[in-house]
Amino acid sequence: MRIWLSQHQDAARLALRRLAAAPVNSLLSLLAIGIALALPAGGQMLLANALQLSGTTSAVPQISVFMATNAERQAATEIGERLGRHAGVKQVLFVPREETLARMKSGPGLREVIEALPANPFPDAFVVSVADESLAAMERLSVEFRQWPKIEHVQLDSAWVRRLDALLKLGRTTVLLLAALLGTGLIAISFSIIRMQVLTQRSEIEVSRLLGATNGYIQRPFLYFGVFLGLGGGVLAWLLVAAAALWLRAPLAELARLYDLTLALQTLGARDSALLLGFAASLGWLGAMISMRQHMQQY
Amino acid sequence: MIRFERVSKRYPPGLDALSDVSCEVAEHEMALVCGHSGAGKSTLLKLVAGVEKPSGGALLIGGQNLAALSRSALPFLRRRIGMVFQDQKLLFDRTVFDNVMLPLSIVGFPRRDAAQRVRAALDKVGLANREKAMPVMLSGGEQQRLAIARAVVNRPSLLLADEPTAHLDAETGADVARIFHEFHHVGVTVMIATYATELFPAARRLQLDHGRLLS
């Protein structure tokens, strides 16, 4: 056991020495891997932030029902009662047109526009929570409400949340696809770097073999080299993503403020970071493994 | 210790390096493999070391038939044999010390004891004060002695050497021959392929001629 451990230590140390022996080569290789990994890692970071953002907004689907602007209050009261009695409706909130006007006036920039209008441009409205929140059921309800008298417009408020969900799903697939694609790239990079290593260390491999080295002994430093290459690339990717997050934080927060959202761009979380490093190290190892397997077949 | 039973080695496309060789080298014996260039001396040593496999016949080392040895068992056979190669095969990017250390780190020898062993081996061949030098800084004779130190650091019971005194002047050659005699005296079985038979007057000779052993 102690022999095994010390042989692993020696192999790891040798791999590090080889990395340090050609600093420019090593750095460029790490950079290639780092940038390749930074793409999916950055995508994952954006996705995690978007998920958090969509989590803070209400995803409870509601239907907004707007009366015609020329409808009497009496008509609105009737509609309110009718909505309250409807089996598919869980809760109804009445928003009188005066309240809407007051709220809009308090908002910046709109006061002058509204005051210039001759009459209250806003209709009476209802916010309806439904019993069955599936899209199909809600669409059925909105079609039904639309046919009621004096109703001008019915809107599904959940539409944008659903759109965001769909977008996020697409984002997740894209990140996975990128990760798969660039992960394969990482294996290829590790493979060819290890192959070059094997060529430059040819005499050492030959001599070790003649002196009774097992395949395991010969492979070990190269496998460690692959792991360090992947791991180093992973760390570099993490740093790139963190730097990008820092850089984008201020402009994105400003953009979010324009949409009335608070957003402080977070860099990769602990789970995603661990995943990134583990993924990078394993793929580096895998590339090295394939390279060594191919080399060993000659003997 | 080593027994050849009608061993032949044929290289493609049809070159017979050894044909029908039968002989035996006893334990603690010193044997010289001699013959003209291309007689099959190196091939014979390579077969013993498991670098090449015989094409026919049986080759037994310590009772073990090499032809039946699996590829994964080969490294463990090689660890019991010390080898001095014709082209030495030193690693020129490592110090003298690290060159000799290599066989020990391959078998996973404990680090502290290993350093002692390396120094003892270097001392034996007269390179005790050169351990930090790189192989290129050594003379031809010193490089040959370094190759011997690496071959014996594992304390093998069998020492093989392919032309260990070639390219050396008479004095240095005698010096190297003396080292082999010393190992022979402490009980190591020694097999040397060489032209310089006069350096090893007491050793038994296996004379090869065009791949055949002359009796």
Side-chain angles (χ1 to χ4, degrees):
Chain A
M1 180 68 193
R2 258 185 49 207
I3 289 176
W4 183 84
L5 210 66
S6 90
Q7 286 203 327
H8 271 266
Q9 250 175 26
D10 286 351
R13 207 173 297 139
L14 189 61
L16 282 179
R17 247 206 326 265
R18 284 179 188 161
L19 263 176
V24 179
N25 280 354
S26 304
L27 204 69
L28 287 177
S29 312
L30 288 180
L31 214 59
I33 294 171
I35 291 171
L37 284 175
L39 274 168
Q44 174 59 30
M45 174 200 71
L46 291 177
L47 204 62
N49 278 287
L51 268 174
Q52 212 192 4
L53 190 66
S54 81
T56 58
T57 57
S58 158
V60 177
Q62 293 171 327
I63 302 176
S64 299
V65 178
F66 298 97
M67 302 299 294
T69 40
N70 59 5
E72 306 287 320
R73 180 53 49 85
Q74 178 58 32
T77 316
E78 273 168 22
I79 290 290
E81 280 167 3
R82 201 169 164 185
L83 279 171
R85 282 199 305 275
H86 196 284
V89 173
K90 204 164 71 182
Q91 205 182 356
V92 184
L93 177 72
F94 177 56
V95 186
R97 51 195 304 192
E98 297 79 17
E99 194 184 313
T100 313
L101 182 71
R103 190 152 50 93
M104 287 302 176
K105 269 188 179 169
S106 68
L110 286 174
R111 169 180 286 273
E112 295 79 8
V113 183
I114 292 167
E115 279 178 350
L117 293 170
N120 184 352
F122 302 107
D124 284 327
F126 299 91
V127 178
V128 179
S129 306
V130 294
D132 183 355
E133 294 181 348
S134 74
L135 188 62
M138 291 185 71
E139 267 169 359
R140 245 191 337 268
L141 277 180
S142 61
V143 168
E144 187 184 338
F145 296 162
R146 209 165 278 144
Q147 288 158 358
W148 293 358
K150 301 278 184 189
I151 286 180
E152 178 84 25
H153 183 63
V154 179
Q155 186 181 337
L156 277 176
D157 284 354
S158 65
W160 79 271
V161 174
R162 287 174 204 268
R163 258 178 239 138
L164 182 64
D165 269 356
L167 264 176
L168 286 180
K169 238 173 239 151
L170 181 68
R172 200 169 301 135
T173 317
T174 311
V175 165
L176 274 178
L177 203 69
L178 265 180
L181 216 62
L182 293 165
T184 315
L186 199 166
I187 296 178
I189 294 175
S190 168
F191 173 87
S192 57
I193 291 175
I194 297 298
R195 203 179 141 64
M196 289 202 320
Q197 281 274 322
V198 167
L199 289 179
T200 52
Q201 308 291 333
R202 188 157 230 150
S203 60
E204 182 169 337
I205 293 174
E206 186 203 348
V207 170
S208 299
R209 198 181 288 284
L210 287 171
L211 295 177
T214 56
N215 281 353
Y217 178 91
I218 291 171
Q219 282 181 8
R220 218 170 283 135
F222 294 100
L223 296 184
Y224 269 105
F225 194 92
V227 168
F228 291 148
L229 216 54
L231 206 59
V235 169
L236 209 64
W238 192 92
L239 289 174
L240 283 172
V241 169
L246 268 180
W247 201 16
L248 288 176
R249 184 172 288 170
L252 259 181
E254 203 167 311
L255 182 70
R257 216 173 12 255
L258 293 176
Y259 284 93
D260 239 356
L261 298 166
T262 42
L263 172 65
L265 196 60
Q266 299 297 316
T267 187
L268 287 173
R271 203 185 117 260
D272 286 342
S273 305
L275 212 63
L276 168 65
L277 294 183
F279 184 67
S282 331
L283 292 186
W285 176 85
L286 189 62
M289 192 68 197
I290 298 171
S291 196
M292 288 318 287
R293 190 55 60 80
Q294 201 200 33
H295 171 73
M296 293 296 183
Q297 269 171 2
Q298 299 167 15
Y299 295 93
Chain B
M1 175 146 204
I2 305 168
R3 204 159 92 218
F4 285 78
E5 289 174 2
R6 313 202 56 173
V7 170
S8 60
K9 175 68 188 174
R10 165 175 289 200
Y11 289 109
L15 180 76
D16 284 312
L18 289 176
S19 350
D20 203 16
V21 172
S22 294
C23 67
E24 197 160 351
V25 176
E27 210 166 344
H28 312 310
E29 195 180 6
M30 184 183 235
L32 295 188
V33 185
C34 17
H36 58 92
S37 176
K41 304 190 294 294
S42 293
T43 304
L44 193 114
L45 286 191
K46 280 180 185 162
L47 287 178
V48 175
V51 177
E52 304 275 6
K53 283 212 164 192
S55 322
L59 171 52
L60 293 102
I61 297 184
Q64 205 166 23
N65 188 359
L66 282 197
L69 208 61
S70 75
R71 243 162 53 162
S72 59
L74 201 56
F76 301 96
L77 168 82
R78 289 195 181 141
R79 290 175 188 187
R80 291 177 5 226
I81 301 174
M83 260 192 292
V84 179
F85 304 97
Q86 192 166 12
D87 54 353
Q88 296 164 348
K89 296 195 187 303
L90 300 173
L91 294 178
F92 284 89
D93 58 344
R94 296 195 184 192
T95 61
V96 166
F97 184 90
D98 286 340
N99 264 280
V100 183
M101 183 62 126
L102 186 61
L104 295 178
S105 70
I106 284 172
V107 300
F109 212 79
R111 189 177 290 273
R112 198 171 309 156
D113 303 345
Q116 259 175 12
R117 276 243 191 150
V118 170
R119 296 207 170 91
L122 284 173
D123 191 43
K124 196 101 173 190
V125 299
L127 287 175
N129 53 355
R130 305 300 306 270
E131 67 171 57
K132 289 200 176 62
M134 298 307 272
V136 270
M137 296 153 71
L138 303 182
S139 68
E142 284 175 324
Q143 287 187 4
Q144 193 57 270
R145 284 185 283 159
L146 171 57
I148 297 172
R150 189 182 63 188
V152 301
V153 71
N154 254 339
R155 305 201 177 149
S157 51
L158 172 61
L159 181 58
L160 305 177
D162 196 357
E163 304 284 7
T165 58
H167 320 300
L168 298 181
D169 60 62
E171 198 181 332
T172 327
D175 207 32
V176 166
R178 180 188 52 77
I179 296 173
F180 281 106
H181 279 116
E182 281 174 13
F183 283 111
H184 177 228
H185 285 310
V186 295
V188 178
T189 311
V190 182
M191 255 181 113
I192 303 171
T194 187
Y195 294 108
T197 49
E198 72 284 356
L199 289 171
F200 309 93
R204 184 157 74 95
R205 294 185 188 187
L206 302 166
Q207 188 77 37
L208 284 170
D209 183 49
H210 293 99
R212 291 183 179 277
L213 191 65
L214 305 178
S215 49

